[in-house]
């Protein structure tokens, strides 16, 4: 029977998150360690990198974090808590391609010869994005969205930022086991946040690494990578349903560990479905609205007038996906 209530499982991580502070390195679930890695920008202060030893003494990492100055020193200090060092790292698995999850893997590979593990679809997306000019893609989207001329510059300036992402040495598919001797860590393909996003389930330790699919308080965006043929929101909702059956402790990419995966999938799905219904109501009044006009009539936690740069770009992208979703049979049902 799945746990129907939500509760933090690390009081120390929870307390640190409530203060906006960096939590301590911590052991949990039979040999796993969480290592907080600071992130630039201040909106989300850190990601959680996870480390475990294999049967031969090698170390394997999940989501090594943002490649800031001193990034490797942070990881080395964290690994020291488990009596290991950077030279012990054998594989680095990223749940998805975003810089705060995959970005630091390239430096680690260069320093240690560790192999980078990605889902096949995520590696394809990394390669596709490497050959695409962000500013050109953003300009096309800005045209489609009907952004007013006086707001284009800030969006185009944001899109100029380009981060190099490493490609994979090892490709995995849904149901595969990670190459960690002595551990049964199974890949669960959970597209939506990105096309090749994965969760990872340590079947013996009873822990589910959720990446950015499911977080304790944050509602992750969808479609934040190279797009496939499917609607990212439809994929995301299906992925939530897929992991809802796992009654495991959740180890997310940010904030703190928790129990109650089922309960959190319900509240997270409802957050997105509320937005779907809100978009549908706007479209029912006037289907000629542009994405910009629809977005301006929606409820945003920071307030529409306060959205700028990355947050404005994200709001418009999310609105566009909801518009597309409500025009599908699944979206019309959800919106009704």
């Amino acid at each position: 029977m799945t746990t129907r209530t939500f509760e933090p499982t690390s009081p120390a991580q929870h307390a640190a998150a409530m203060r906006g502070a960096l939590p301590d390195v911590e052991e949990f679930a039979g040999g796993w360690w969480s290592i907080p890695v600071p992130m630039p920008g201040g909106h989300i202060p850190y990601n959680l990198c996870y480390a475990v030893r294999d049967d031969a003494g090698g170390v394997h990492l999940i989501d090594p974090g943002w490649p800031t100055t001193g990034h490797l020193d942070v990881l080395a200090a964290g690994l020291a808590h488990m009596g290991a060092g950077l030279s012990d790292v054998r594989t680095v698995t990223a749940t998805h391609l975003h810089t705060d999850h995959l970005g630091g893997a390239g430096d680690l590979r260069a320093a240690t010869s560790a192999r980078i593990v990605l889902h096949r679809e995520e590696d394809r997306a990394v390669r596709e994005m490497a050959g695409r000019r962000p500013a050109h893609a953003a300009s096309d989207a800005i045209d489609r969205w009907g952004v007013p001329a006086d707001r284009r510059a800030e969006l185009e300036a944001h899109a100029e930022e380009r981060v190099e992402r490493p490609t994979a040495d090892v490709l995995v598919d849904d149901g595969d086991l990670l190459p960690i001797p002595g551990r049964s860590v199974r890949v669960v393909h959970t597209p939506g946040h990105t096309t090749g996003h994965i969760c990872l389930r340590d079947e013996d330790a009873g822990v589910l690494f959720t990446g950015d699919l499911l977080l304790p308080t944050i509602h992750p965006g969808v479609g934040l990578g190279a797009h496939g043929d499917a609607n990212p929101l439809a994929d995301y909702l299906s992925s939530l349903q897929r992991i809802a059956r796992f009654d495991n402790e959740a180890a997310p990419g940010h904030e703190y560990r928790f129990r109650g995966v089922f309960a959190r999938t319900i509240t997270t799905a409802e957050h997105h479905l509320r937005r779907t219904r809100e978009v549908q109501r706007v479209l029912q009044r006037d289907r000629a609205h542009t994405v910009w006009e629809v977005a301006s009539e929606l409820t945003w936690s920071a307030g529409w007038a306060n959205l700028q740069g990355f947050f404005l770009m994200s709001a418009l992208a999310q609105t566009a996906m909801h518009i597309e979703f409500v025009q599908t049979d699944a979206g019309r049902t959800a919106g009704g």
Side-chain angles (χ1 to χ4, degrees), residues 19 64 100 106 164 220 244:
R19 299 193 310 270
D100 53 326
E164 296 298 327

Side-chain angles (χ1 to χ4, degrees), residues 275 278-279 294-305 307 311-312 314-319 322:
R275 178 55 48 81
E278 197 175 11
V279 167
V294 172
S296 70
E297 296 188 42
L298 303 180
T299 304
W300 303 99
S301 56
W304 170 251
L307 295 178
F311 299 103
L312 179 58
S314 177
L316 292 169
Q318 301 300 304
T319 301
H322 279 278

Side-chain angles (χ1 to χ4, degrees), residues 85-313:
L86 291 178
S87 61
D88 297 310
V89 177
R90 303 290 181 261
T91 68
V92 183
T93 301
T95 57
H96 61 293
L97 57 74
H98 291 159
T99 308
D100 53 326
H101 295 261
L102 173 62
D107 289 344
L108 269 167
R109 178 168 60 188
T112 68
S113 299
R115 295 178 297 162
I116 296 175
V117 183
L118 288 173
H119 187 273
R120 186 178 306 277
E121 282 298 307
E122 206 70 342
D123 187 64
R124 177 194 63 78
V126 168
R127 295 173 188 274
E128 177 184 321
M129 294 172 76
R132 191 175 67 196
R133 286 290 305 276
H136 289 175
S139 183
D140 290 344
I142 290 166
D143 287 339
R144 293 194 307 271
W145 294 341
V147 176
D150 64 340
R151 301 301 299 273
R152 289 184 65 102
E154 68 179 276
L155 297 180
E156 289 171 346
H158 166 73
E160 287 291 350
E161 181 183 4
R162 189 186 183 111
V163 177
E164 296 298 327
R165 297 178 174 90
T167 55
D169 303 299
V170 179
L171 300 178
V172 292
D173 293 300
D174 184 62
D176 288 348
L177 292 175
L178 292 188
I180 305 177
R183 289 272 175 174
S184 295
V185 182
R186 195 168 300 279
V187 174
V188 184
H189 184 207
T190 50
H193 184 62
T194 63
T195 55
H197 188 287
I198 55 175
C199 292
L200 300 162
R201 186 169 181 243
D202 187 323
E203 297 172 328
D204 297 323
V207 60
L208 179 69
F209 299 92
T210 61
D212 277 359
L213 179 77
L214 194 68
L215 301 171
T217 67
I218 298 168
H219 294 109
V222 298
L224 303 179
H227 287 185
D229 296 330
N231 179 271
L233 181 56
D235 274 351
Y236 183 77
L237 294 171
S238 294
S239 292
L240 288 178
Q241 289 181 334
R242 187 171 191 205
I243 68 162
R245 63 191 174 90
F246 294 132
D247 191 25
N248 297 119
E249 179 180 28
H254 305 278
E255 301 185 295
Y256 51 86
R257 299 193 311 279
F258 63 92
R259 187 169 291 281
V261 169
F262 177 85
R264 186 58 185 158
T265 61
I266 296 299
T267 58
T268 301
E270 178 55 26
H271 168 84
H272 286 284
L273 292 174
R274 279 198 301 271
R275 178 55 48 81
T276 295
R277 292 190 288 268
E278 197 175 11
V279 167
Q280 190 172 63
R281 287 193 293 270
V282 173
L283 293 178
Q284 286 172 343
R285 294 199 298 270
D286 182 359
R287 290 189 176 273
H289 271 335
T290 64
V291 170
W292 176 274
E293 289 167 339
V294 172
S296 70
E297 296 188 42
L298 303 180
T299 304
W300 303 99
S301 56
W304 170 251
N306 297 319
L307 295 178
Q308 298 178 358
F310 167 82
F311 299 103
L312 179 58
M313 194 79 169

